[in-house]
Amino acid sequence: SAVISQKPSRDICQRGTSLTIQCQVDSQVTMMFWYRQQPGQSLTLIATANQGSEATYESGFVIDKFPISRPNLTFSTLTVSNMSPEDSSIYLCSVHLILGGYEKLFFGSGTQLSVL
Amino acid sequence: EDQVTQSPEALRLQEGESSSLNCSYTVSGLRGLFWYRQDPGKGPEFLFTLYSAGEEKEKERLKATLTKKESFLHITAPKPEDSATYLCAVDDDKIIFGKGTRLHILP
């Protein structure tokens, strides 16, 4: 399995500020994924972070709002920029591993963000 | 449009009362279906991966099954500690999650 450490676990931020979320994996992985989970909603993929190249963003998400870094094969950050109350959500990082012939997705513990 | 629909949205059971959660999907090419458990304030915890119709997986009181259009998560004689939100996701080149079923087991 994979152990994923994500921090901060929660934060309360003021409108207009930015927050950077860190994600550390205990093994080297090619791709890391960032998700958003809004209250009562399913997990939505924000972007895929590849080491050595720019992140790939899903429809509705842009780099200026959610800049991502991927400096090595075990670490990534997601920044939520110029926050508004609509950004209040849980943010999760994830990795996909093939273990025993089966694809498995592992998640960090999540960052609960509240924007005032 | 690819979709994943979970039902019911919420389910309350008495301890020991078995039941099933449903995940129906419409995707162009299923590459895998995943079940997760999520406790409040935590990230999803991996339970099962299923690849083909007829496949079954078991873990303690949970059994997941897969058909061409849906998957079931059967919970046998549940205990209060099984209370959580159960998420289903499908891999159709991209991972698509359902909204989950909130399960509450009453002692």
Side-chain angles (χ1 to χ4, degrees), chain A residues 37 42 58 102-103 105, chain B residues 36 38 49 51 55 57 94:
Chain A
Q37 187 177 28
S42 59
E58 298 300 309
Y102 285 89
E103 181 183 7
L105 287 68
Chain B
Y36 286 86
Q38 187 174 25
T49 303
Y51 283 121
E55 190 174 359
K57 291 284 181 63
K94 292 184 179 180

Side-chain angles (χ1 to χ4, degrees), chain A residues 10 90, chain B residues 37-43 83-85:
Chain A
R10 59 177 60 240
I90 298 173
Chain B
R37 169 190 172 126
Q38 187 174 25
D39 293 297
K42 296 188 177 181
S83 297
T85 296

Side-chain angles (χ1 to χ4, degrees), chain A residues 6 33-35 37 43 90-94 107-110, chain B residues 43-44:
Chain A
Q6 186 174 339
F33 304 87
W34 288 98
Y35 286 86
Q37 187 177 28
L43 277 73
I90 298 173
Y91 292 85
L92 295 152
C93 65
S94 170
F107 287 86
S109 54

Side-chain angles (χ1 to χ4, degrees), chain A residues 26-54:
Chain A
D26 67 344
S27 57
Q28 295 184 339
V29 293
T30 305
M31 294 189 290
M32 295 176 71
F33 304 87
W34 288 98
Y35 286 86
R36 182 174 71 184
Q37 187 177 28
Q38 294 178 306
Q41 301 298 314
S42 59
L43 277 73
T44 302
L45 182 64
I46 297 171
T48 301
N50 301 298
Q51 196 273 332
S53 64
E54 283 199 5

Side-chain angles (χ1 to χ4, degrees), chain B residues 8-32:
Chain B
E9 291 186 9
L11 182 62
R12 294 166 69 91
L13 299 172
Q14 289 295 137
E15 183 173 3
E17 182 184 359
S18 302
S19 188
S20 296
L21 313 183
N22 178 264
C23 173
S24 62
Y25 59 91
T26 55
V27 296
S28 55
L30 181 70
R31 294 169 57 177

